[in-house]
Amino acid sequence: MLLYGVSLAGLLFLMRWLEFRLLVMSHATELYVAAIAVVFLVLGIWLAKQLTKPKTVLVEKTVYVSPSDEFIRNEKVLEELGISKRELEVLELIALGLSNNEIAGRLFVSLNTVKTHSSKLFEKLDVNRRTQAVEAAKRLGIIPL
């Protein structure tokens, strides 16, 4: 009886396996197309999520706050950078928003002298523009905020 049951189960398994093979063989193209469609569907969903993901940019900026209302010039930085008294005067006048002609008039020097002092300041502060020089000087504690 046991042998009869095992042989029937084996035959049933064999018939189901053959039926499956016949089904796969007769519909092979459709199965391949369906598999490719599923792959592209998953790829499309992943790509859409990547493209629509919001781009968050984190910007860190150091804010320097002076502890008191009274400005104390950072003489150590002035010495390290090698900024002369005259260059410091030019820098302070640049910070006030004066043009090169106005600075030359206030300091009683030629326009070329002001331009020379400005270019040396830009070199020492490692900047390219007047606004960058003022911001760097305020950050370093050379001129008041």
Side-chain angles (χ1 to χ4, degrees):
M1 185 82 118
L2 185 61
L3 185 60
Y4 181 72
V6 170
S7 62
L8 278 178
L11 279 173
L12 183 62
F13 176 75
L14 181 64
M15 289 182 72
R16 289 291 180 177
W17 182 72
L18 288 173
E19 181 183 359
F20 177 72
R21 277 193 51 134
L22 180 64
L23 179 68
V24 169
M25 293 293 234
S26 63
H27 300 294
T29 307
E30 290 87 355
L31 289 174
Y32 288 133
V33 169
I36 291 172
V38 168
V39 167
F40 278 102
L41 174 72
V42 170
L43 181 65
I45 291 172
W46 175 80
L47 186 61
K49 282 187 173 187
Q50 293 299 318
L51 291 176
T52 59
K53 192 182 297 181
K55 304 277 190 252
T56 304
V57 178
L58 182 62
V59 177
E60 291 186 23
K61 185 172 181 179
T62 307
V63 178
Y64 297 94
V65 179
S66 59
S68 66
D69 293 336
E70 201 173 302
F71 175 70
I72 300 170
R73 189 174 318 261
N74 193 345
E75 298 292 334
K76 182 180 176 186
V77 173
L78 283 175
E79 290 176 19
E80 287 175 2
L81 295 176
I83 296 176
S84 68
K85 298 276 186 201
R86 196 54 139 179
E87 290 170 344
L88 182 60
E89 289 175 353
V90 170
L91 180 61
E92 288 173 340
L93 293 173
I94 288 173
L96 291 175
L98 300 178
S99 68
N100 286 344
N101 285 332
E102 293 170 331
I103 294 171
R106 281 230 185 144
L107 297 178
F108 303 107
V109 294
S110 72
L111 182 60
N112 287 334
T113 304
V114 173
K115 289 180 181 180
T116 302
H117 288 313
S118 297
S119 65
K120 286 184 179 179
L121 270 171
F122 294 169
E123 271 182 43
K124 292 176 182 178
L125 292 173
D126 193 28
V127 295
N128 296 321
R129 294 179 178 78
R130 294 164 66 102
T131 54
Q132 292 174 339
V134 170
E135 197 240 314
K138 286 181 180 180
R139 183 173 32 85
L140 295 171
I142 298 173
I143 59 175
L145 299 173

